[in-house]
Amino acid sequence: MRLDKTALAGRAGLGRTIVSQAFQADGPVPSARTVAALAQALKLPVEELLVLRREAARGGVDERPGPGRLIADWEPYDLEIHPAGHSKAVDGSDVPGTRPLPGYVRRDHDRVLDEAVKDVAAGRSRIVILVGTSSTGKTRACWEAVQPLAEKRWRLWHPSTRPLPAQPWKTSTVSSRAPWCG
């Protein structure tokens, strides 16, 4: 069955003009609601299309200044990840420096964090709280969990850097940002 834009608009519960604009190559990026409605009407994967829509809306990579720094620009110890052991030097030369992190052993809670990161990358907001005593690896687990977002050039905001805007949800710079409360 061939479906024209008028029939698609009716099936999706959208106006004909909205549907027409959504298919214009040089037009504005359609809203998330429009993309979701069209995807459902066409039996296409909604979440995948919403990810593509977000990428198109921000031109691929969000390079706008805003809260935080690129995840790749952070040193793990700046985020208060406790070093393993007591070393004063990187190479044994007694010169202070940054120590590499030891290997990471994944635990059951890492699956929960991985799912949260996937949800966030797909545009769904999540809050995850890890509870444990001091030096049990909570902050390190979070550091490991956000690494897939580093590859996508996401930013990380740490409370010790600078405050978020008073109402961050009303700014255009909050997409692709992950607050850090280690």
Side-chain angles (χ1 to χ4, degrees):
M1 176 177 137
R2 188 169 166 90
L3 193 64
D4 66 16
K5 290 179 185 168
T6 302
L8 178 58
R11 185 184 287 183
L14 299 169
R16 169 73 170 77
T17 302
I18 296 292
V19 171
S20 181
Q21 288 174 342
F23 285 98
Q24 289 179 349
D26 59 346
V29 175
S31 71
R33 180 186 168 278
T34 298
V35 170
L38 289 172
Q40 289 172 342
L42 294 169
K43 296 183 170 90
L44 296 171
V46 175
E47 292 304 321
E48 290 178 36
L49 291 175
L50 287 173
V51 169
L52 292 173
R53 185 229 160 252
R54 274 189 300 283
E55 289 294 316
R58 67 176 187 236
V61 176
D62 188 354
E63 296 292 345
R64 295 172 291 175
R69 302 190 321 227
L70 291 174
I71 293 171
D73 291 346
W74 283 97
E75 287 294 327
Y77 299 113
D78 293 339
L79 297 169
E80 302 170 36
I81 294 175
H82 301 301
H86 301 287
S87 173
K88 293 184 180 176
V90 173
D91 59 5
S93 65
D94 293 330
V95 176
T98 302
R99 287 173 283 152
L101 290 174
Y104 181 71
V105 177
R106 291 180 56 82
R107 293 168 283 172
D108 290 339
H109 62 261
D110 291 300
R111 283 191 295 265
V112 174
L113 292 172
D114 290 344
E115 288 302 313
V117 167
K118 287 177 187 170
D119 282 350
V120 168
R124 294 182 294 274
S125 296
R126 292 288 304 269
I127 293 176
V128 177
I129 299 172
L130 290 180
V131 178
T133 58
S134 178
S135 300
T136 56
K138 300 177 299 291
T139 307
R140 175 69 187 269
C142 292
W143 173 252
E144 296 297 330
V146 299
Q147 294 311 299
L149 299 176
E151 297 165 6
K152 297 178 181 179
R153 300 186 53 81
W154 274 53
R155 302 174 75 84
L156 187 81
W157 174 79
H158 187 279
S160 69
T161 54
R162 66 180 181 141
L164 280 171
Q167 295 179 324
W169 56 89
K170 290 188 177 180
T171 70
S172 61
T173 60
V174 176
S175 63
S176 302
R177 305 295 193 274
W180 187 271
C181 300

